[in-house]
Amino acid sequence: MGRAFEFRKERKFKRWAKMAVQFTRLGKEIVMAVKAGGASPDTNSRLKTVMQNAKAVNMPKDRVEAAIKRATSKDEGNYEEIVYEGYAPHGVAVLVETATDNTNRTVANVRSYFTKTNGSLGKTGSLDFIFSRKSVFTFEPKDVDLDELELELIDAGLEDLFVETDEEGNDLAVIHTAYEDFGKMQKALEEKSIETKSAKLERIAQSHHDVTEEQVADVMKLIDKLEDDDDVQAVYHNMAE
């Protein structure tokens, strides 16, 4: 069938693997949301947001419902959210968000990934000067007048509004607000009938670190190991693109 078929097959498998990881992480977020605020998205804004994010990545409805049901079970424990900070090789800052039911396992794994790739795990708060926590919303711009919308969203805490291209080549409008303005911006978008593709709290690098192509490969060894760990929810870095 040839190399083209093998290339398409490899890309398909990678896409499936990425989806599986996303579904696992969203399942954890659903459990944490239900434990914190109940099983109804009508009264639990955190759960409502996670369900919207799950829909955006085509997470099957039965998996969402199963996660909610599992979270309401007395036998289901909660996950503890822990952030780890450190440096990859060549001075690249790396911040790792985890959700775990076994902190000893998680810290041991994270520390080993840094050590094996010639990085170093640091103290909590050591990267506060590099990463800023922001509320990030994305939606399809379509027929929306972004210049007008930008003015209308200032009172909701808008800090930045721009358009980027996703992995499929589609345009996505991206909104940044302060961490504490998440709910206010979410409400403003709902009132304007703008359906978000995702609504998340993310870590945005305020400065970037330049590396060579060879050094990028070294840094990616650490990032890949972290992202493959079941306890890891998100990995952020300040490597310049």
Side-chain angles (χ1 to χ4, degrees), residues 58-90:
N58 299 312
M59 184 173 177
K61 187 177 179 181
D62 59 343
R63 288 195 63 163
V64 173
E65 292 173 347
I68 293 174
K69 184 177 181 179
R70 191 171 71 249
T72 58
S73 168
K74 292 182 180 179
D75 297 330
E76 179 71 17
N78 204 356
Y79 295 101
E80 184 175 355
E81 296 178 90
I82 305 174
V83 176
Y84 298 97
E85 304 168 43
Y87 284 90
H90 314 298

Side-chain angles (χ1 to χ4, degrees), residues 11-212:
R11 288 192 65 186
K12 183 181 291 186
F13 285 152
K14 286 183 178 179
R15 187 162 63 248
W16 285 346
K18 185 176 180 180
M19 287 175 62
V21 170
Q22 284 181 316
F23 295 167
T24 298
R25 289 172 178 166
L26 284 164
K28 281 189 177 182
E29 289 183 28
I30 289 171
V31 170
M32 290 187 288
V34 172
K35 292 284 187 183
S40 172
D42 295 331
T43 56
N44 185 342
S45 59
R46 181 178 178 182
L47 175 60
K48 180 180 179 181
T49 299
V50 179
M51 291 176 69
Q52 288 175 336
N53 292 340
K55 181 180 179 182
V57 297
N58 299 312
M59 184 173 177
K61 187 177 179 181
D62 59 343
R63 288 195 63 163
V64 173
E65 292 173 347
I68 293 174
K69 184 177 181 179
R70 191 171 71 249
T72 58
S73 168
K74 292 182 180 179
D75 297 330
E76 179 71 17
N78 204 356
Y79 295 101
E80 184 175 355
E81 296 178 90
I82 305 174
V83 176
Y84 298 97
E85 304 168 43
Y87 284 90
H90 314 298
V92 173
V94 177
L95 189 148
V96 188
E97 293 181 345
T98 68
T100 179
D101 57 359
N102 186 326
T103 56
N104 290 333
R105 176 191 66 221
T106 305
V107 68
N109 287 344
V110 170
R111 182 179 288 114
S112 72
Y113 302 146
F114 275 91
T115 301
K116 290 176 181 178
T117 56
N118 296 317
S120 60
L121 194 60
K123 296 180 180 179
T124 301
S126 61
L127 300 183
D128 283 350
F129 70 102
I130 294 178
F131 294 98
S132 178
R133 203 172 191 195
K134 297 288 184 181
S135 304
V136 181
F137 301 82
T138 65
F139 63 93
E140 296 178 357
K142 294 183 180 178
D143 300 325
V144 178
D145 185 331
L146 295 181
D147 289 333
E148 182 178 334
L149 180 65
E150 189 169 12
L151 293 174
E152 294 174 348
L153 293 178
I154 290 175
D155 288 342
L158 178 72
E159 293 184 351
D160 200 6
L161 171 59
F162 57 93
V163 176
E164 66 179 18
T165 304
D166 65 14
E167 293 179 355
E168 283 73 41
N170 302 312
D171 284 344
L172 272 184
V174 183
I175 287 174
H176 285 181
T177 76
Y179 166 79
E180 57 270 16
D181 286 333
F182 184 93
K184 188 161 59 173
M185 179 59 70
Q186 188 174 44
K187 183 179 179 181
L189 293 172
E190 289 176 353
E191 290 175 347
K192 296 183 182 303
S193 300
I194 293 177
E195 184 177 354
T196 58
K197 284 187 68 69
S198 65
K200 301 177 181 177
L201 296 171
E202 297 186 9
R203 315 275 178 164
I204 308 296
Q206 303 303 299
S207 61
H208 293 87
H209 190 77
D210 291 322
V211 289
T212 66

